[in-house]
Each structure stands twice: as structure tokens, then as C-alpha cells.
């Protein structure tokens, strides 16, 4: 993994590929490269590090041509070096290939290919693919057939593109577990791992499903299965423009996306709240709502930030719908053989809709015959296509690797689902109207929090040199503590842990001294008195207390070193507000430490391998 772009058409190849790679930079990577079919064969230029280093090399290497591929790599097999960067040749410069994913049986394939005279030059599993295709291609087989035959021997995941100097008027691509989108133009066509790579050129795209491959020429795209059966695909119109993937005047994508949250929350609710009925309307659940309503058990599965949103959803659904809910890490779901029966439903949550572990959990649930619902942000993503029903976030592209606006949108959508089900069960009209009206006020309340960003910045200045942080919350705000700690870890590289506040006494209290900042989510809710007691325990050990509190709570100033206020709201909606200052705190601390907040080290935006 991580980013793929391919082009065939009348334009000069290098600007198209480089623009596409820059559009994919946000996904996280450690090396980059391009390959182009020229009059003298296939030229490859690649480099470790940022795309700017590749660009500098290209300035010294004139490359002509109108067909080519580009890649940003996030290392899985082999260190992030120029040698291991994509694209890769086979034994000659006849073929070049780029690949996202992991080839699980690459070692066995490599041994077989070496016995047939193939020589390898990298530490990657990807290089095995191009040699395997070459083995079939050397016998005069057309490129797409050589690829198809090769893939019948492959175990693992791939989104790949291959080009040949022998057949210079085509690109061939295939997908299994790693996203591939085909962009459709006039006398030109594109292939990419993400629509952002092609949006400068076309808004007409189609998505490959697992087990499918495509042949692209200048004026046609032919799609079939790996089993050689023709496939007809739906053409999708990309619904956003370049402005949505620009920084919009902000220094970083992350800051822009934090500041966009009043609008993204509004978009998540747009057309979905019925004030006169105290009800939610979710068209994506039509036809399947009864499965959710009468489920005896709901299992929510997700990874990372989406898992934290799922925990909040668990609290919401159990409180208002009274259905037992379990939240499972998607990475563990299929390996522990969870108990699922006809009275169970599964909800999967993913910003990208392509998270490998979450997709595996989805497919395992479907194999067990249960209904699977999806919550995701990317229209046309695999999760959107493979679930029985679901709800889009409508948060727009999230470029920063550390998720911010997608998290608050996920919690908002879970609140909408909860309201819908609760009203269909036993929630009163009056209570429903109260919730609808309060949800409508959330955007303006988030805006008010954002206006206090300078106060958060001043707090960050005092603690940016800390080496450890502890985040504590109770009830609905326990998952917020987890998410706040994750944000700080992801982008500042400070060790941080989130805990239920009551668990502090069962271990973490040993860490607290005058050098330990402790962040409390201490809003005025049903757990307020208990969390005040926890604050006193930290103060007694000289810990530094940063409190996220409800506006009007003057008493907490006596107990905390710093207080960041958020407006009052209904208890189950507080996470949508309390996370915002924690996002800002992480952002400002990371900036002050000189970290790359949009592309933190070792992280990828969409984790498409296990």
C-alpha cells in the first residue's frame, strides 16, 4: 500500500502522474515512484522519502510518453528505500507494476520463480507479482491474460496496475481487497486507489469489486472477473469538487477539518431530522429497519477512531432502544468466531469504507447469515456496496490522517439511528422533539467551542514538552477519553492513555506526579460528582489537571489548573462537543513539537492490509 495512479491518453504523462500522487499524499507513505512507456521502453524513476524528492529527480530526467503508472508506498515487506519503492520491473524492462496489499504466499512463489531462472532485486512481496506475470507473458500470452493467469496462483490482497512495452496502448488493473477506481474521460482513462487522484480530470468513475480486473485503452474500458466473465459496472458521479480537498487557507488539513465540524455535523443531519414528528429519517435503512428494530442483539465492529465512536453508539442504543450491544475490534472479530444467530445484526463503521479488518468482519458476518449495516463516509466504497443497508456520513473528503470530522459525524449518525429506533419502540413524542431540537443546535455549539481555540493553544504551550498524558472520563465521555488520547499519540508521538476515570485507582494512579498532565472530561452530567472525586485524587498527588467542563460550572475552577468550557447539551450528545477541544489540544501540541500533523509517521489514512 498506499497510493496508485495510472493514465492513458493524450496528455504528457509526468504532470498527470505527479499531480495524482500529490493528491494521494495525505494517505501516508514513505517512498514514491513512476513508470512511463517511452519510445525507448519503460522508464522507472523512484525515490525514498517525500514526493518532493521524486520531483527533484524527475527534473533531472526528461521522460516523454502518454501512458504510465505512479505509486506512493507505505512499507510492509522491506525497508522504505529507493530499491524497494514501486514500480517494479521483472527480469527485464518489458513489464512494470505497482501494487497495494500483501501477497501472503510470496515466499513460496518466489522460490518457484527462482527455480525457473527469475532473479529478484528487492525485499518486497510485490516484486514476486511482476515476475509471476512475466512467467506467463513470456509465452506470448496477451498482457491481461497473463495477469489473469498469474492471479489464480496468488493468495492475499492486491490493488495493482501493470504496463508492458510490448503492448504500449493499454493499462491492466485488478483488485482483491484493496480499492481500485477507474476514471472515465474523453479519449483518456485513469486508474487510481482513490478518487482524489483523478478529480482534476474527471468526475465519472466506476469501482472495481474484489475478483475483478479491467483493461484500459484511450477510448475504452473493459471489465471482467478473474475467472474471465464479462462485467457491467455502474458509472458514478463524484459529488464534490477540488475545493473540498484543498486546505482552504488553513495551514494544515487537520486544522481545516476540525474547523469544518459545524458544517459536517449539519450535513450529517441534513434532511434526516423531522422536528414535527420528533423523529429521524434515514433512507439508507429503508427496507431493512425491521431487522435492526427487532434484533435481540447488536454487534458493532470497527477499528481505531471508528471503534471509539462505536462505544458511544453502544451506550446510546442500550440506554434508549434497550437492545443489548457489544462492540468488537474488527481486527479480532473473525478470529474469535463470535456467536451470531438470526436474531443478531452487525453494524460496521469505517470512514473510508475500505478498512481491511472491518471488511473482513463484514464478510464473516455475512457468511454467518446475519444482516450487516454500514456507516461510512465514502460513496461507492466497498463497505457501502457490500452491506445490506447503511448510512453515509456526508462529511466530505477527510485528508488528515488523524480522523476528526469523521468521528463527530459517526457519533451524530449513531445518534440519528438511536433516535429512529427509540421512537419506533417506546420513546415519547415529547422526548423525541426535545432531542431533535437539541441536535439541531449542535453545529452552533461546536462553533462556539472552536472560537476558544486560542485558549486551547495557550494550554498546549504549557504541556507540549510533556512525555506522558492521561485522559479520564466516565459514561458517554469514557470513549472520548480514549479518542483524545489517540489523537495526541497519533500526531504528537507523546505517550497517552485513556481510561474510565474510576479505573485510575486500579493502576494508572501510580504514574501521577507533578509532571503528569491529566485531562478530565468533567461535564455536568450524571457522573459529575464521581469525576470530581477523581480530580481530587489527582490533585492530592500533585498532578496537573486540565478539565473539559460545562459552561457555567465555576466550582471546577477551584479544582483544575485549566478549564476549557463547552456548552451544555443532552448527556448522550456530549461526546460530539467534548472531543472538539481535545482535537485542538492534540493539534497545537503536535505543531509546537514540529510534527507533521497531516502525515504522521508510520500511519496510513486507510488501512487496507491486515
Amino acid at each position: 500500500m498506499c497510493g496508485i495512479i495510472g493514465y492513458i491518453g493524450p496528455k504528457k504523462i509526468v504532470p498527470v502522474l505527479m499531480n495524482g500522487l500529490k493528491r494521494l499524499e495525505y494517505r501516508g507513505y514513505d517512498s514514491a515512484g513512476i513508470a512511463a512507456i517511452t519510445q525507448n521502453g519503460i522508464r522507472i524513476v523512484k525515490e525514498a522519502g517525500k514526493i518532493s524528492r521524486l520531483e527533484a529527480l524527475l527534473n533531472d530526467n526528461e521522460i516523454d510518453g502518454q501512458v504510465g503508472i505512479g505509486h506512493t508506498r507505505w512499507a510492509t515487506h522491506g525497508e522504505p528505500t529507493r530499491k524497494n519503492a514501486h514500480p517494479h520491473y521483472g527480469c527485464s524492462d518489458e513489464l512494470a507494476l505497482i501494487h497495494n496489499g500483501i501477497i501472503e504466499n510470496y515466499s513460496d512463489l518466489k522460490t518457484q520463480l527462482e527455480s525457473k531462472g527469475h532473479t529478484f532485486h528487492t525485499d518486497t512481496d510485490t516484486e514476486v507479482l511482476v515476475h509471476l506475470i512475466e512467467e506467463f507473458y513470456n509465452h506470448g500470452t496477451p498482457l491481461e491474460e497473463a495477469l489473469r493467469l498469474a492471479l489464480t496462483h496468488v493468495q492475499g490482497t492486491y490493488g495493482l496496475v501493470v504496463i508492458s512495452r510490448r503492448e504500449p496502448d493499454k493499462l491492466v488493473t485488478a483488485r482483491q481487497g484493496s480499492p481500485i477506481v477507474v476514471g472515465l474521460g474523453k479519449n483518456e482513462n485513469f486508474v487510481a486507489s482513490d478518487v482524489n487522484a483523478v478529480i482534476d480530470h474527471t468526475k465519472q468513475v466506476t469501482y472495481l469489486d474484489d475478483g475483478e480486473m479491467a483493461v484500459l485503452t484511450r477510448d475504452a474500458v473493459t471489465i471482467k472477473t478473474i475467472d474471465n466473465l464479462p462485467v457491467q459496472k455502474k458509472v458514478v458521479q463524484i459529488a464534490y469538487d477540488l475545493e473540498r480537498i484543498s486546505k482552504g487557507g488553513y495551514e494544515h488539513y487537520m486544522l481545516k477539518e476540525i474547523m469544518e465540524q459545524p458544517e459536517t455535523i449539519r450535513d450529517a443531519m441534513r434532511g434526516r431530522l423531522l422536528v414535527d414528528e420528533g423523529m429521524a429519517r434515514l433512507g439508507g435503512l429503508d427496507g431493512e429497519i425491521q431487522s435492526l428494530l427487532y434484533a435481540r442483539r447488536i454487534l458493532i465492529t470497527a477499528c481505531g477512531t471508528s471503534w471509539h465512536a462505536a462505544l458511544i453508539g453502544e451506550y446510546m442504543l442500550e440506554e434508549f432502544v434497550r437492545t443489548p450491544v457489544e462492540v468488537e475490534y474488527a481486527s479480532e472479530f473473525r478470529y474469535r468466531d463470535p456467536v451470531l444467530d438470526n436474531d443478531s445484526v452487525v453494524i460496521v463503521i469505517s470512514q473510508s469504507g475500505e478498512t481491511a479488518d472491518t471488511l473482513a468482519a463484514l464478510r464473516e458476518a455475512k457468511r454467518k447469515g446475519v444482516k450487516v449495516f454500514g456507516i461510512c463516509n465514502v460513496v461507492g466504497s466497498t463497505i457501502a456496496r457490500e452491506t445490506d443497508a447503511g448510512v453515509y456520513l456526508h462529511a466530505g473528503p477527510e485528508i488528515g490522517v488523524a480522523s476528526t470530522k469523521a468521528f463527530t459525524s459517526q457519533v451524530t449518525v449513531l445518534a440519528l439511528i438511536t433516535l429512529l429506533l427509540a421512537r419506533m419502540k417506546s420513546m415519547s413524542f415529547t422526548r423525541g422533539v426535545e432531542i431533535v431540537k437539541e441536535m439541531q443546535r449542535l453545529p452552533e455549539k461546536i462553533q462556539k467551542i472552536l472560537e476558544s481555540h486560542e485558549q486551547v493553544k495557550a494550554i498546549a504551550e504549557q504541556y507540549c514538552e510533556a512525555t506522558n498524558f492521561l485522559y479520564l472520563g466516565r459514561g458517554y465521555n469514557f470513549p472520548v477519553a480514549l479518542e483524545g488520547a489517540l489523537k495526541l499519540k497519533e500526531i504528537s508521538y507523546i505517550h497517552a492513555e485513556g481510561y474510565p476515570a474510576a479505573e485510575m485507582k486500579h493502576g494508572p494512579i501510580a504514574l501521577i506526579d507533578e509532571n503528569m498532565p491529566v485531562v478530565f472530561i468533567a461535564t455536568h452530567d450524571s457522573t459529575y460528582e464521581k469525576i470530581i472525586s477523581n480530580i481530587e485524587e489527582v490533585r492530592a498527588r500533585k498532578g496537573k489537571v486540565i478539565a473539559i467542563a460545562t459552561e457555567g460550572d465555576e466550582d471546577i475552577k477551584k479544582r483544575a489548573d485549566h478549564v476549557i468550557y463547552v456548552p451544555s447539551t443532552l448527556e448522550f450528545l456530549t461526546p460530539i462537543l467534548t472531543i472538539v477541544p481535545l482535537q485542538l489540544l492534540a493539534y497545537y501540541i503536535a505543531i509546537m513539537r514540529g510534527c507533521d500533523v497531516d502525515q504522521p509517521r508510520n500511519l496510513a489514512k486507510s488501512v487496507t492490509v491486515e
Side-chain angles (χ1 to χ4, degrees), residues 524-598:
H524 223 296
D525 55 27
S526 61
T527 64
Y528 179 74
E529 296 301 329
K530 295 295 184 183
I531 208 155
I532 289 297
S533 298
N534 298 135
I535 290 175
E536 293 294 352
E537 290 169 339
V538 169
R539 290 182 67 206
R541 289 154 182 84
K542 299 185 174 10
K544 302 299 182 183
V545 175
I546 303 168
I548 310 300
T550 304
E551 283 181 346
D553 183 356
E554 294 297 319
D555 183 60
I556 202 165
K557 288 182 178 179
K558 304 171 190 173
R559 308 168 190 275
D561 297 278
H562 312 275
V563 180
I564 304 168
Y565 286 111
V566 299
S568 176
T569 189
L570 299 176
E571 185 168 346
F572 83 103
L573 297 176
T574 55
I576 299 171
L577 303 183
T578 52
I579 189 57
V580 175
L582 302 186
Q583 293 169 345
L584 287 168
L585 183 66
Y587 171 79
Y588 284 121
I589 287 175
I591 291 301
M592 291 166 189
R593 292 169 68 90
C595 300
D596 186 342
V597 296
D598 285 337

Side-chain angles (χ1 to χ4, degrees), residues 259-562:
M259 294 298 181
E260 284 178 338
Q261 287 176 110
E263 189 58 34
T264 54
I265 295 298
R266 195 173 284 114
D267 287 344
M269 298 186 295
R270 195 181 306 277
R272 292 170 167 175
L273 286 174
L274 306 177
V275 184
D276 294 340
E277 300 176 37
M279 186 67 162
R281 174 177 57 201
L282 296 168
L285 301 183
D286 285 351
E288 296 290 351
I289 191 64
Q290 299 298 317
S291 299
L292 266 175
L293 187 63
Y294 294 111
R296 294 180 60 187
R297 174 170 164 265
I298 297 172
L299 196 151
I300 311 177
T301 186
C303 299
T305 286
S306 298
W307 186 79
H308 298 154
L311 289 175
I312 297 168
E314 176 187 15
Y315 291 8
M316 289 177 177
L317 289 164
E318 290 197 341
E319 178 179 355
F320 293 102
V321 185
R322 308 308 296 165
T323 301
V325 180
E326 293 180 37
V327 175
E328 181 83 50
Y329 279 113
S331 54
E332 293 294 321
F333 181 89
R334 63 173 169 161
Y335 293 108
R336 72 172 192 87
D337 193 21
V339 177
L340 295 172
D341 54 37
N342 292 336
D343 294 323
S344 301
V345 299
V346 170
I347 299 174
V348 297
I349 307 177
S350 166
Q351 187 283 135
S352 68
E354 301 291 352
T355 311
D357 289 317
T358 309
L359 273 170
L362 183 165
R363 289 163 180 164
E364 179 65 18
K366 295 195 81 170
R367 274 193 291 271
K368 291 178 179 288
V370 303
K371 291 288 185 182
V372 183
F373 296 81
I375 297 173
C376 69
N377 192 35
V378 180
V379 176
S381 61
T382 305
I383 284 177
R385 297 196 304 274
E386 293 193 12
T387 45
D388 295 296
V391 184
Y392 282 119
L393 304 180
H394 297 309
E398 188 176 65
I399 306 301
V401 166
S403 183
T404 52
K405 65 178 182 176
F407 174 77
T408 49
S409 293
Q410 286 169 347
V411 178
T412 301
V413 164
L414 286 162
L416 289 169
I417 293 171
T418 299
L419 174 62
L420 172 61
L421 296 176
R423 284 286 286 121
M424 293 178 75
K425 279 195 171 180
S426 59
M427 180 181 284
S428 70
F429 165 76
T430 303
R431 179 63 165 153
V433 170
E434 178 191 14
I435 289 172
V436 169
K437 289 183 176 179
E438 185 55 31
M439 290 186 72
Q440 289 179 322
R441 297 186 190 106
L442 289 174
E444 64 187 67
K445 292 184 176 185
I446 294 174
Q447 186 60 48
K448 190 172 184 181
I449 298 168
L450 292 171
E451 289 168 2
S452 68
H453 67 95
E454 289 294 339
Q455 178 199 359
V456 179
K457 185 177 181 180
I459 295 170
E461 286 178 335
Q462 295 191 44
Y463 296 103
C464 62
E465 298 301 325
T467 55
N468 297 281
F469 265 77
L470 190 61
Y471 288 71
L472 300 173
R474 283 177 176 260
Y476 281 101
N477 282 307
F478 156 52
V480 175
L482 295 177
E483 176 62 12
L486 177 62
K487 287 285 99 50
L488 189 69
K489 281 185 279 196
E490 285 179 313
I491 62 171
S492 75
Y493 318 138
I494 293 173
H495 174 255
E497 296 296 335
Y499 274 89
E503 287 296 304
M504 177 183 64
K505 296 187 290 292
H506 299 281
I509 198 168
L511 300 172
I512 295 171
D513 59 19
E514 65 275 10
N515 298 314
M516 171 70 84
V518 183
V519 179
F520 281 92
I521 301 97
T523 50
H524 223 296
D525 55 27
S526 61
T527 64
Y528 179 74
E529 296 301 329
K530 295 295 184 183
I531 208 155
I532 289 297
S533 298
N534 298 135
I535 290 175
E536 293 294 352
E537 290 169 339
V538 169
R539 290 182 67 206
R541 289 154 182 84
K542 299 185 174 10
K544 302 299 182 183
V545 175
I546 303 168
I548 310 300
T550 304
E551 283 181 346
D553 183 356
E554 294 297 319
D555 183 60
I556 202 165
K557 288 182 178 179
K558 304 171 190 173
R559 308 168 190 275
D561 297 278
H562 312 275

Side-chain angles (χ1 to χ4, degrees), residues 108-325:
D108 290 340
L109 292 172
K110 186 174 182 178
T111 299
Q112 294 170 26
L113 290 164
E114 285 175 329
S115 70
K116 295 179 179 181
H118 290 261
T119 303
F120 292 83
H121 302 284
T122 79
D123 306 313
T124 69
D125 56 333
T126 295
E127 191 185 8
V128 169
L129 275 175
V130 68
H131 283 273
L132 185 61
I133 297 164
E134 185 178 55
E135 180 65 22
F136 290 99
Y137 198 50
N138 285 341
H139 297 91
T141 309
L143 181 60
E144 58 264 37
E145 181 65 6
L147 173 61
R148 192 186 73 79
L149 292 171
L151 293 180
T152 62
H153 296 267
V154 169
Q155 298 169 17
T157 58
Y158 50 79
L160 61 85
V161 191
V162 61
I163 55 176
S164 165
R165 64 181 295 182
R166 193 194 308 168
E167 300 177 66
D169 295 321
K170 66 174 66 169
L171 301 172
V172 184
T173 182
R175 174 204 164 125
Q176 180 65 44
S178 193
I180 289 290
V181 58
V182 176
L184 308 172
K186 186 176 181 180
N187 300 318
E188 62 181 2
N189 287 300
F190 306 81
V191 60
S193 54
D194 185 319
V195 294
N196 289 343
V198 303
I199 196 172
D200 288 275
H201 307 282
T202 182
K203 290 192 173 184
Q204 300 287 320
V205 301
T206 190
Y207 297 90
L208 294 193
D209 287 311
D210 282 354
E212 292 180 349
M213 57 186 294
V215 179
L216 285 68
T217 63
R218 285 173 172 79
D219 53 10
V221 173
T222 304
I223 300 175
K224 59 184 177 180
T225 69
I226 303 299
D227 296 325
N228 214 22
L229 300 173
V231 177
Q232 295 297 316
K233 304 293 290 187
K234 179 182 177 181
V235 177
V236 177
Q237 178 83 8
I238 300 173
Y240 59 87
D241 55 26
L242 289 173
E243 179 59 30
R244 298 296 295 274
I245 57 173
S246 70
K247 290 181 181 175
Y250 289 96
E251 186 176 357
H252 300 95
Y253 283 111
M254 183 178 180
L255 182 59
K256 179 196 176 201
E257 288 156 10
I258 292 172
M259 294 298 181
E260 284 178 338
Q261 287 176 110
E263 189 58 34
T264 54
I265 295 298
R266 195 173 284 114
D267 287 344
M269 298 186 295
R270 195 181 306 277
R272 292 170 167 175
L273 286 174
L274 306 177
V275 184
D276 294 340
E277 300 176 37
M279 186 67 162
R281 174 177 57 201
L282 296 168
L285 301 183
D286 285 351
E288 296 290 351
I289 191 64
Q290 299 298 317
S291 299
L292 266 175
L293 187 63
Y294 294 111
R296 294 180 60 187
R297 174 170 164 265
I298 297 172
L299 196 151
I300 311 177
T301 186
C303 299
T305 286
S306 298
W307 186 79
H308 298 154
L311 289 175
I312 297 168
E314 176 187 15
Y315 291 8
M316 289 177 177
L317 289 164
E318 290 197 341
E319 178 179 355
F320 293 102
V321 185
R322 308 308 296 165
T323 301
V325 180

Side-chain angles (χ1 to χ4, degrees), residues 54-90:
L54 174 64
E55 203 164 30
L57 276 181
L58 288 168
N59 289 338
D60 297 329
N61 291 270
E62 185 66 29
I63 298 180
D64 58 3
Q66 298 172 324
V67 180
I69 52 179
H71 190 265
T72 52
R73 177 179 186 251
W74 190 81
T76 56
H77 294 69
E79 295 180 1
T81 61
R82 179 189 289 184
K83 176 185 73 173
N84 290 329
H86 300 206
H88 291 298
Y89 286 128

